[in-house]
Amino acid sequence: MGEQQHVKFPQEVVDEYAALGVDLPALFSAGHLGTRMGVRIREASAERVVGTMPVEGNTQPYGLLHGGASAVLAETLGSIGSMLHGGSSKTAVGVDLNCTHHRGVRSGLVTGVATPVHRGRSTATYEIVITDEDGKRVCTARLTCMLRDMRPGDGERAGAAS
């Protein structure tokens, strides 16, 4: 779990955050909860965020992937997309998450792909599709984030939290 992630970010985004002294991969990581759950961000841009999560360790008592685990993956991916859309002057705060669970998964890795439905000045909405290793849809989620102006110290707290 402590391995170094290699997330693919657009170069202009990396440059924007580097100019502010912000470690972009750390800022847009899965965070403490995502790390405990094994979430790995594979690709990140405002247009598409891809991440994976193991089923093992994230199951409910019947041995199936826990619906809350799917929600964590979905909110992580949609929040990263929203933050990248908002840019370095905004922070994204989730205000609505809806998850529909289509099928159970007992093992392997699930992959989530977040794509924008709406990207405005004050909100961003992403659809997140989670699939199993066979490409079968496990969960469809929709996340709406409020984009608020970054306050003094927000970036420092985010960097310290990672």
Side-chain angles (χ1 to χ4, degrees):
M1 294 251 196
E3 71 190 44
Q4 178 69 21
Q5 294 193 80
H6 297 287
V7 183
K8 189 168 82 177
F9 290 101
Q11 189 58 48
E12 64 272 10
V13 174
V14 171
D15 294 343
E16 177 184 354
Y17 283 86
L20 299 170
V22 174
D23 178 358
L24 187 66
L27 180 62
F28 292 114
S29 71
H32 295 296
L33 176 60
T35 298
R36 281 195 305 270
M37 296 179 71
V39 173
R40 297 283 181 259
I41 308 304
R42 303 296 184 193
E43 175 187 332
S45 71
E47 291 76 29
R48 178 180 156 97
V49 182
V50 179
T52 59
M53 181 179 65
V55 173
E56 184 178 345
N58 295 312
T59 57
Q60 38 88 312
Y62 296 116
L64 298 171
L65 177 65
H66 196 290
S70 294
V72 167
L73 178 59
E75 185 152 356
T76 298
L77 301 178
S79 293
I80 289 171
S82 295
M83 288 284 289
L84 288 169
H85 163 66
S88 60
S89 65
K90 299 279 187 179
T91 186
V93 180
V95 294
D96 182 65
L97 176 64
N98 173 287
C99 298
T100 301
H101 307 287
H102 304 293
R103 68 173 51 253
V105 181
R106 292 189 180 277
S107 64
L109 202 64
V110 292
T111 300
V113 178
T115 54
V117 174
H118 166 78
R119 291 187 294 170
R121 286 179 286 151
S122 60
T123 63
T125 300
Y126 280 75
E127 177 184 61
I128 303 92
V129 174
I130 300 173
T131 56
D132 65 14
E133 290 178 324
D134 294 327
K136 294 179 181 173
R137 193 177 290 226
V138 173
C139 176
T140 303
R142 188 189 68 244
L143 174 71
T144 298
C145 287
M146 175 178 62
L147 301 173
R148 31 168 268 215
D149 291 331
M150 195 72 100
R151 296 182 201 160
D154 279 354
E156 294 165 12
R157 281 194 294 275
S162 56

